[in-house]
Amino acid sequence: MHVVVGGAFNGKRKWVKKFYALDDTASYQWFCGYDEQIHIADLFHTKQFEKITIIEGIEQYIFQIMNQFAEWRNYWDMMVEAWRGWEKEGKGTIVVIGNDITKGIVPVDQQERLWRDTCGFCFQDLVKKADRFDIIWYGLNERLK
């Protein structure tokens, strides 16, 4: 698993497309958390994944999980383990892209603070289990793992 994190509009999508040579001829699956038609359940079942599967806007999916499941941590762990199992079977690579919403001003709204904290926990889980971790700022990557 490859985790890519950075600020909003800092070039994460463009960097991933270039790094993995994703063009019109490449075979890949791209899930975008900003598309309201894609739900967290779509990411739990790996049968629809391609050799390269990108999950962009993971913080949006995390928001769905924490609002739909009282035991969000269990659901999250099972989903990440399903991704890892898919990769271990040699089926491909999962690239997770997230906006780092854990920095900056702490939100006044309790729900937004909870979301921010939950993203922090989930990002830590992802990075620990990832094979590679890059931070993207202004289109430049820094590989930390």
Side-chain angles (χ1 to χ4, degrees):
M1 188 170 10
H2 184 176
V3 177
V4 177
V5 175
F9 305 104
N10 269 244
K12 296 177 299 294
R13 178 186 298 178
K14 184 177 180 180
W15 185 86
V16 166
K17 284 184 175 184
K18 183 177 179 183
F19 184 82
Y20 286 97
L22 302 178
D23 56 22
D24 294 339
T25 63
S27 176
Y28 63 94
Q29 176 72 42
W30 196 292
F31 295 97
C32 182
Y34 308 107
D35 180 349
E36 293 180 15
Q37 312 223 343
I38 299 175
H39 300 284
I40 195 64
D42 298 331
L43 303 180
F44 200 93
H45 305 290
T46 58
K47 291 180 182 176
Q48 61 190 343
F49 286 11
E50 295 281 339
K51 184 80 174 154
I52 298 175
T53 297
I54 298 94
I55 302 168
E56 178 186 22
I58 193 65
E59 73 282 353
Q60 300 300 319
Y61 294 115
I62 292 168
F63 188 80
Q64 286 183 33
I65 291 171
M66 62 176 259
N67 284 305
Q68 292 178 19
F69 302 99
E71 297 293 324
W72 67 266
R73 188 71 173 200
N74 292 336
Y75 189 91
W76 172 256
D77 289 340
M78 288 188 302
M79 185 173 65
V80 172
E81 286 307 311
W83 297 347
R84 290 184 65 195
W86 182 82
E87 284 189 323
K88 285 181 182 177
E89 291 173 7
K91 295 183 177 179
T93 300
I94 296 172
V95 181
V96 180
I97 303 173
N99 275 335
D100 188 352
I101 64 168
T102 66
K103 293 185 172 91
I105 298 171
V106 176
V108 173
D109 181 75
Q110 182 179 3
Q111 181 72 1
E112 288 184 16
R113 281 195 313 273
L114 177 61
W115 178 34
R116 180 181 194 250
D117 292 346
T118 303
C119 282
F121 294 130
C122 292
F123 285 5
Q124 287 178 57
D125 291 344
L126 285 173
V127 170
K128 185 189 318 183
K129 295 175 181 180
D131 300 308
R132 180 178 174 133
F133 172 54
D134 287 277
I135 293 179
I136 308 296
W137 290 107
Y138 310 114
L140 300 174
N141 79 300
E142 180 177 3
R143 184 177 181 175
L144 297 180
K145 181 177 181 182

